[in-house]
Amino acid sequence: MTAQIAAPAFPVTAKPAPAAAPQSSLITWIAVIGSTLGAFMAVLNIQIVNASLANIQGGIGAGIDDGGWISTSYLIAEIIVIPLSGWLARVFSIRLYLLSNAILFLVFSAACALAQNLEQMIVLRAIQGFTGGVLIPMAFTLIITLLPKAKQPIGLALFALSATFAPAIGPTIGGYLTENWGWEYIFYVNLVPGAIMVAMLWVSLEAKPMQLHLLRDGDWPGILTMAIGLGALQTVLEEGNKDDWFGSPFIVRLSVIAAVSLTLFLIIELRSPRPLLNLRLLLRRNFGFGITANFLMGIALYGSVFILPLYLSRVQGYNSEQIGMVLAWTGLPQLVLIPLVPRLMQRFDVRLIIVTGFALFAASNFMNIYMTGVYASDQLFWPNVVRAVGQALAFAPLSAVATAGIEPENAGSASALFNMMRNLGGAIGIAALQTFQSKREQFHSNVLTNSVSLFEEATRQRIDQLTTYFLNHGVSDQATAWHKAVVAIGSRVRLQANIMSFSDTFFLLGVVLVLALVATLMLKKPAGQVGGSGAH
């Protein structure tokens, strides 16, 4: 794929200055901006739907347990197509492949709003995810192949809006549209920016002939094992907590399929003369440690977007619009900060910027480890702002360092691996955090219940106080008032256990980001620092 782009975009010349003009021409920037807009919409459609899932389930008559497949089907299709996109773009040409999927993404977005039942919604969301998943790695690929090194930080800053800003702002947009217009509009909202995206790609991407002969020489064993393995793994991660993990035969079977398929995929890719993905890129120091940090960032990025709404809904009783307004402060500051990151990359060592970003992101989670029953929007304001600053500082510089020195012919593999591992980190992170929060809630509940005993004088006094309260507020029977007092204390214990479990979960997220910070300390400064003085 990348070789097809690189040839016209990089005139062969001994002097960098003459090459810079066509590389950063207006038409090139239109392609980059159009593709990053597509990536933004594709990522946005994960969180914007999750924020309104309960409303969608009610609208199409889906049960709570089965409604999760509305999100799962999208994520499975997306994570399968991301590593395929580089090869398919070579087969069908960048222009045809990207434009076709961009248009289909809009068509199936509108179709999702018209779904009448769960089965239709699952199928439509899967196709939407497959087409939307193409937009993410293709935007990244165009940035690192069409733009010169000096301009890549600007392109990567634009891409950061899709990777970090979109997940943060998704619940805000989804909550507002659902509460004020109806859940259908979370799909219709794609149409206007989508039309702009298609127009930009139409005028900027160069037409090239298809190379259908590559289908015959494709790495089909690798494609098959990867698709089966990633699909099974994503399903396990999305459904495992609900089905009690390995207590479910369905989850056990899928786990075995995922393990076998992905092991075969690794073997095939390392032995194939024409692999789907060049896994040997992982042996390069900066790319390997960059992928590791990116994977851990995916855990924290998507994990925090999952945990915070869960806390606000379960503990504070917020609706989707109120949750969105709280999360807005993890997104809105990034609109101001991300455009400034390329300038920071010109002035400072990019590794220092990344470390600072991860340190702030970790600190924002550690700020939430002493939560109480009154810990709500006001108390979350500064942690969310700190998180926004950390995310803005970490992503673009990390992407630049990890991909520095990647040859055009390896850009497709690098893009696929980098974006797939972040998404996979998010899936693993959400699954792990769901289980961790549930287990810690049980732990704290047991500890607190042991302390709240009828043999304790303080407990008996509290029950007497509540019994008197209920008798004075409409309950005429002594036994009924006593029962309501015991239930009230039990509810209070469960609430406190929940709050403590969320505090523990934020602590775990902070630890994950400290590990990401350690991985970034292993990065070496790229030759001719990315975004450095040479960019002027």
Side-chain angles (χ1 to χ4, degrees):
M1 172 188 62
T2 53
Q4 294 299 310
I5 307 174
F10 288 92
V12 178
T13 175
K15 297 180 180 180
Q23 290 171 352
S24 55
S25 64
L26 176 61
I27 205 72
T28 297
W29 280 111
I30 291 175
V32 168
I33 294 170
S35 62
T36 51
L37 176 59
F40 178 88
M41 293 167 57
V43 176
L44 184 71
N45 267 261
I46 300 172
Q47 298 303 331
I48 198 173
V49 170
N50 288 347
S52 308
L53 200 54
N55 301 82
I56 298 173
Q57 289 168 352
I60 62 175
I64 294 176
D65 288 341
D66 294 331
W69 282 97
I70 297 171
S71 293
T72 301
S73 58
Y74 183 95
L75 293 169
I76 290 173
E78 184 182 74
I79 205 166
I80 289 174
V81 78
I82 284 175
L84 287 174
S85 291
W87 175 66
L88 291 175
R90 290 179 59 205
V91 173
F92 297 107
S93 82
I94 294 287
R95 177 183 172 84
L96 180 60
Y97 183 62
L98 192 48
L99 273 172
S100 298
N101 281 282
I103 293 170
L104 289 173
F105 177 76
L106 300 181
V107 170
F108 285 99
S109 291
C112 285
L114 304 175
Q116 300 298 307
N117 53 53
L118 179 64
E119 291 75 17
Q120 290 180 11
M121 180 64 83
I122 289 174
V123 171
L124 292 171
R125 280 286 284 169
I127 302 174
Q128 186 197 23
F130 196 86
T131 56
V134 170
L135 307 178
I136 301 171
M138 292 307 298
F140 195 86
T141 300
L142 289 178
I143 289 167
I144 63 177
T145 54
L146 289 184
L147 294 178
K149 182 184 291 186
K151 300 297 182 182
Q152 284 182 15
I154 301 174
L156 292 171
L158 289 172
F159 187 80
L161 291 174
S162 70
T164 63
F165 176 66
I169 206 67
T172 306
I173 299 174
Y176 176 81
L177 291 173
T178 300
E179 293 295 325
N180 293 281
W181 297 86
W183 64 265
E184 295 89 350
Y185 281 84
I186 65 175
F187 296 108
Y188 291 142
V189 77
N190 292 324
L191 299 182
V192 172
I196 296 172
M197 166 190 66
V198 170
M200 295 178 78
L201 295 176
W202 186 277
V203 301
S204 62
L205 293 176
E206 183 180 354
K208 290 181 177 295
M210 294 189 291
Q211 302 184 72
L212 297 180
H213 65 277
L214 294 176
L215 291 172
R216 183 181 62 251
D217 302 326
D219 180 18
W220 291 106
I223 293 171
L224 185 63
T225 52
M226 181 212 66
I228 294 173
L230 287 179
L233 178 60
Q234 185 73 39
T235 305
V236 167
L237 295 172
E238 290 293 320
E239 302 296 315
N241 190 64
K242 184 189 71 178
D243 294 342
D244 193 29
W245 291 107
F246 298 112
S248 163
F250 173 69
I251 295 298
V252 170
R253 286 194 294 269
L254 280 182
S255 298
V256 172
I257 291 172
V260 172
S261 297
L262 292 177
T263 300
L264 289 174
F265 171 70
L266 292 175
I267 294 171
I268 291 168
E269 294 307 285
L270 293 174
R271 292 185 174 182
S272 173
R274 289 185 295 272
L276 177 68
L277 297 175
N278 183 5
L279 298 182
R280 289 180 174 81
L281 292 175
L282 296 172
L283 299 177
R284 300 186 184 185
R285 179 171 169 175
N286 275 11
F287 191 74
F289 283 112
I291 281 276
T292 302
N294 189 47
F295 174 81
L296 295 169
M297 187 178 189
I299 293 176
L301 179 64
Y302 290 103
S304 56
V305 172
F306 168 78
I307 285 296
L308 193 51
L310 191 64
Y311 166 79
L312 291 170
S313 173
R314 186 178 295 178
V315 176
Q316 301 299 336
Y318 281 26
N319 62 29
S320 56
E321 185 174 10
Q322 291 171 315
I323 291 171
M325 294 308 296
V326 174
L327 290 182
W329 288 105
T330 67
L332 294 176
Q334 295 187 55
L335 282 178
V336 177
L337 294 168
I338 287 177
L340 302 178
V341 171
R343 290 188 175 274
L344 293 176
M345 293 170 66
Q346 293 175 358
R347 295 176 178 272
F348 302 100
D349 188 327
V350 285
R351 297 170 300 174
L352 178 61
I353 300 173
I354 300 168
V355 168
T356 302
F358 277 125
L360 290 173
F361 197 175
S364 72
N365 287 284
F366 290 136
M367 291 168 73
N368 291 331
I369 64 176
Y370 297 110
M371 304 171 82
T372 65
V374 296
Y375 203 90
S377 58
D378 291 343
Q379 291 74 27
L380 287 164
F381 175 80
W382 283 113
N384 285 351
V385 171
V386 172
R387 173 185 155 195
V389 176
Q391 288 179 185
L393 291 178
F395 185 81
L398 178 64
S399 304
V401 173
T403 57
I406 296 292
E407 303 83 1
E409 62 270 19
N410 287 320
S413 290
S415 174
L417 289 168
F418 197 79
N419 289 285
M420 181 181 70
M421 291 304 291
R422 185 179 63 258
N423 283 21
L424 193 58
I428 291 174
I430 290 173
L433 291 172
Q434 277 183 302
T435 303
F436 180 81
Q437 188 273 329
S438 177
K439 298 298 183 185
R440 293 302 292 176
E441 190 275 333
Q442 294 172 14
F443 169 79
H444 289 300
S445 183
N446 290 335
V447 171
L448 293 174
T449 300
N450 291 336
S451 302
V452 181
S453 168
L454 290 175
F455 296 105
E456 296 288 337
E457 179 63 25
T459 302
R460 292 197 299 270
Q461 289 180 359
R462 183 59 178 157
I463 290 176
D464 290 342
Q465 292 171 358
L466 289 171
T467 300
T468 301
Y469 172 84
F470 288 123
L471 286 171
N472 293 333
H473 289 79
V475 179
S476 57
D477 181 64
Q478 176 78 22
T480 302
W482 184 88
H483 177 72
K484 289 175 72 69
V486 172
V487 170
I489 290 176
S491 298
R492 181 64 183 175
V493 167
R494 286 193 297 273
L495 177 64
Q496 190 60 38
N498 243 324
I499 294 170
M500 296 170 73
S501 70
F502 280 108
S503 295
D504 294 345
T505 306
F506 279 110
F507 179 81
L508 180 61
L509 283 169
V511 171
V512 168
L513 287 161
V514 170
L515 294 176
L517 188 154
V518 172
T520 61
L521 293 176
M522 305 303 293
L523 297 170
K524 63 179 181 179
K525 188 174 182 179
Q529 159 142 19
V530 177
S533 59
H536 292 288

